[in-house]
Amino acid sequence: SQQGEEDPQALSIQEGENATMNCSYKTSINNLQWYRQNSGRGLVHLILIRSNEREKHSGRLRVTLDTSKKSSSLLITASRAADTASYFCATDAKGAQKLVFGQGTRLTINP
Amino acid sequence: DAGVTQSPTHLIKTRGQHVTLRCSPISGHKSVSWYQQVLGQGPQFIFQYYEKEERGRGNFPDRFSARQFPNYSSELNVNALLLGDSALYLCASSSLAGTDTQYFGPGTRLTVL
């Protein structure tokens, strides 16, 4: 079963705009991670945020985590065509030795 | 440094056959995890191995098995293939066991006819 649920399922924006994707999960976690996947290839790790952190930045990426609402958001600022990909959140339920991925958000950046 | 490598890249099998997929982790990484990704969905956890021992198993039938070798490379075996086993099989390595940052390989695309 998928613990993480991304929203929206698909997002199409113009180059230069900001893109926001959301992830909700069901159980307590140790950390939450965001990954990017281009066209059915391997996943690339973007950022990891631990349960005791509320916000984290990496370049044009900003991730927030609200453990009281069991939700996270990924913001990509000043989007580029190369950001076109599927984005997945992954959580590790406490006590479970595995990552559980959501179904992903398909992001399209239009030039 | 080389990233995670997987072989083969693509594979076509028929129902009932078995398949072996291979993975070499990043040098120095002792943990290997396997995921199945069906088209249009997120990856589903199959196994995690650390120091040659199974550390986690997902909700997959016994037709799926894996092992890790002394050099930390790993094999995923699937017996009695079904059409529904068609998917992208992803291998990921990490330096520790558990659920910290995973480094993924490019995957093996398995098609079962």
Side-chain angles (χ1 to χ4, degrees):
Chain A
S1 62
Q2 309 246 337
Q3 160 155 255
E5 300 257 345
E6 285 94 341
D7 171 59
Q9 289 189 347
L11 179 62
S12 181
I13 61 174
Q14 295 299 121
E15 196 167 16
E17 294 181 337
N18 295 341
T20 300
M21 288 158 272
N22 302 296
C23 170
S24 59
Y25 57 92
K26 298 174 184 172
T27 64
S28 296
I29 60 172
N30 293 309
N31 66 62
L32 184 145
Q33 303 178 43
W34 286 90
Y35 288 83
R36 184 185 74 223
Q37 184 177 39
N38 292 83
S39 300
R41 301 169 70 88
L43 280 74
V44 174
H45 179 259
L46 296 176
I47 201 161
L48 180 153
I49 186 166
R50 302 201 183 275
S51 60
N52 62 352
E53 297 175 308
R54 292 295 166 259
E55 188 171 309
K56 208 162 182 180
H57 297 255
S58 176
R60 294 184 296 113
L61 306 181
R62 173 180 169 249
V63 168
T64 62
L65 178 64
D66 187 334
T67 53
S68 66
K69 295 181 179 178
K70 292 187 169 59
S71 68
S72 173
S73 68
L74 169 67
L75 168 68
I76 303 174
T77 60
S79 63
R80 305 167 182 169
D83 294 328
T84 293
S86 291
Y87 291 81
F88 295 91
C89 70
T91 55
D92 65 333
K94 283 190 175 178
Q97 290 285 318
K98 64 178 183 178
L99 278 181
V100 180
F101 285 82
Q103 292 195 336
T105 292
R106 197 166 56 255
L107 175 65
T108 302
I109 309 298
N110 302 303
Chain B
D1 286 341
V4 176
T5 59
Q6 292 186 244
S7 63
T9 305
H10 296 88
L11 203 52
I12 299 175
K13 292 284 189 179
T14 56
R15 282 178 296 175
Q17 287 188 311
H18 72 272
V19 68
T20 298
L21 310 180
R22 296 178 175 82
C23 171
S24 292
I26 290 172
S27 177
H29 284 188
K30 299 180 179 180
S31 175
V32 170
S33 297
W34 287 95
Y35 295 82
Q36 180 196 64
Q37 186 178 24
V38 175
L39 195 62
Q41 297 187 17
Q44 296 265 345
F45 174 79
I46 309 175
F47 287 109
Q48 184 183 85
Y49 276 77
Y50 179 75
E51 291 277 20
K52 295 166 288 187
E53 290 189 4
E54 182 183 301
R55 291 298 188 97
R57 174 184 283 255
N59 189 23
F60 280 81
D62 292 343
R63 299 185 296 107
F64 288 77
S65 64
R67 55 180 175 167
Q68 187 176 32
F69 299 100
N71 66 353
Y72 304 113
S73 66
S74 177
E75 282 182 355
L76 175 69
N77 294 284
V78 187
N79 293 325
L81 286 167
L82 303 174
L83 296 179
D85 295 331
S86 295
L88 180 67
Y89 288 85
L90 295 162
C91 171
S93 76
S94 58
S95 54
L96 300 173
T99 56
D100 230 332
T101 299
Q102 304 283 303
Y103 296 86
F104 283 83
T108 293
R109 172 73 62 187
L110 172 65
T111 301
V112 182
L113 302 176

